[in-house]
Amino acid sequence: MTKKIAFNLFEMNCVGHISHGLWVHPENNRHRFNDLDFWVEEAKLLEAGLFDTVFLADVVGTYDGYRAGPETALREAVQIPSNDPLLVIPAMAAATKHLGFAATFSTTYEPPFAFARRASTLDHLTKGRFGWNIVTSYLPNAARNFGLPDEVEHDRRYEIADEYLDVLYKLWEGSWDDDAVVQDRERRVYTDPTKVRYINHQGPHFSVAGPHLAQPSLQRTPVLFQAGSSVAGKAFAAKHAEAVFVGGTDLAAYRDNVADLRRLAQANGRAGNHIKTFASAVVIVGKTSKDAQRKAEEFEKLSSAEGYLAHLGGGGIDLAAYHPSELVEDILARENRPGRDRQPSNRRLPAGTTVGEALGRVTRFDRGPFFAVGTAVEVVNEIERWVRETDLDGFNLRQFLTPGTAEDFVEHVVPELQRRGLYRTSYEEGTLRERFFGAGNARLFDSHPGARYRGGANLDSPALASVSV
């Protein structure tokens, strides 16, 4: 295998992200997340390790479905307290030259015009290193925080997101010409007004006049990340996404999902290789196998089953409240009230899974399916096997300790990947999109639906429909 493997550090601007209970570990610095130095130190470490991005997750509600309240999430620090992921990026960018930044922002509750300017600002400040993880927000508490009685129905959220992206493309790609900013001191003209235009978008969910307030950034549209395993989510990814976090219950499922995503992209008129695919990775590495196993046992001992249950119950279905012999799909059918989404964790469970089996699975700190514990050679053997057999492009590295997980990866795994020719030895120049797709590809590919608005074209035309086959 010759292709280079990409790695992102999976992060969140909070104490407890997805490794619940590990904040109590004496070597964990998660309590420092409110300190800007924490993020600058992490950015420097990741740049030294030649990571592609630091990927910042986010939620806009709390996990209050477990035991009918937020108490467990608060006590266990399950993604609360948490801060805005966008605001730490400028400081991290100032301390680095190459590291990319991908941050989560929801299309469901806040209007697109203000986010368009925020994203362009970040792309300017990072010199083209910004990516956006598109989510539609599933927590019931998030809906209540924005004045709604319950979640917006799942497929309707994707309909909203589709129009949201259409508005953003018009602002980012169509509102300003490349040469609109002339900075002509003699004529006292900073921007040529004939090269900036209103977008005058009128749709079922949004009405936006424009023009975009920010001049074109290096990428114009940030690199578009997305994760979605439902039919609507996969159709959305195939139309819009440039990097997708793929799910699955095992290696074979990942292989099928990657192939299906590339097929759907081609059905939407895009090239299959215009989407980079990533899987979540649990990597625990040591100088010896015994050392790695010791770390894993320590993490298992400190993990919090209550934290994982609170996380699972955030979607409004508290499996701990049901008899262990009940089937999960029966509960979902019963509890799938209008407006209420099915918690994504449950959708990844095989048919016939009982409540007891589900609880045993979700409360395991080492749940994979990609899980590698051992020496650098042993870990890289597994990384190489997965990439070879699934056609994945890379991984989102899950953290147990900060900065310990990334430090171990940089010290042990990176040199072994480099020895095999599977990892860069220096950064490629250019934007984040050029890192993923090659020099000269700083902007969206011509086949991407956002590119149709360049130069102000098609602003009055209906949005392209997604193709799902």
Side-chain angles (χ1 to χ4, degrees), residues 244-273:
V244 174
F245 299 106
V246 181
T249 55
D250 53 26
L251 184 148
Y254 272 86
R255 180 176 57 241
D256 292 345
N257 287 337
V258 170
D260 194 42
L261 185 62
R262 300 202 194 285
R263 178 184 61 82
L264 288 172
Q266 291 171 343
N268 280 269
R270 304 173 63 197
N273 63 357

Side-chain angles (χ1 to χ4, degrees), residues 226-247 253-268 270-278 391-393 467 469:
Q226 196 255 346
S229 57
S230 65
V231 173
K234 289 171 73 172
F236 185 89
K239 177 181 176 181
H240 297 285
E242 299 173 282
V244 174
F245 299 106
V246 181
Y254 272 86
R255 180 176 57 241
D256 292 345
N257 287 337
V258 170
D260 194 42
L261 185 62
R262 300 202 194 285
R263 178 184 61 82
L264 288 172
Q266 291 171 343
N268 280 269
R270 304 173 63 197
N273 63 357
H274 286 183
I275 296 180
K276 298 297 182 183
T277 56
F278 294 88
D391 197 31
L392 283 163
D393 295 292
V467 177
V469 293

Side-chain angles (χ1 to χ4, degrees), residues 157-175:
R157 293 205 308 267
Y158 277 104
E159 293 173 7
I160 294 170
D162 202 52
E163 185 182 346
Y164 199 106
L165 267 292
D166 201 47
V167 173
L168 292 177
Y169 295 147
K170 290 177 180 179
L171 292 168
W172 287 332
E173 300 288 337
S175 187

Side-chain angles (χ1 to χ4, degrees), residues 320-370:
Y322 298 90
H323 193 277
S325 64
E326 285 199 72
L327 293 178
V328 172
E329 61 243 47
D330 291 346
I331 296 171
L332 290 173
R334 218 164 47 234
E335 297 293 333
N336 192 26
R337 301 184 296 275
R340 174 62 55 81
D341 185 23
R342 298 181 180 187
Q343 158 70 356
S345 295
N346 298 333
R347 286 201 299 267
R348 293 195 293 267
L349 297 172
T353 301
T354 66
V355 168
E357 291 168 339
L359 292 176
R361 179 175 300 190
V362 301
T363 56
R364 288 181 57 186
F365 96 101
D366 60 347
R367 69 187 190 278
F370 184 92

Side-chain angles (χ1 to χ4, degrees), residues 192 342 362 409 412 444 454 456:
D192 183 345
R342 298 181 180 187
V362 301
F409 190 88
H412 300 292
L444 293 171
R454 288 174 180 155

Side-chain angles (χ1 to χ4, degrees), residues 34 63 152 157 189 299 348:
N34 288 313
Y63 291 84
V152 178
R157 293 205 308 267
V189 176
F299 298 159
R348 293 195 293 267

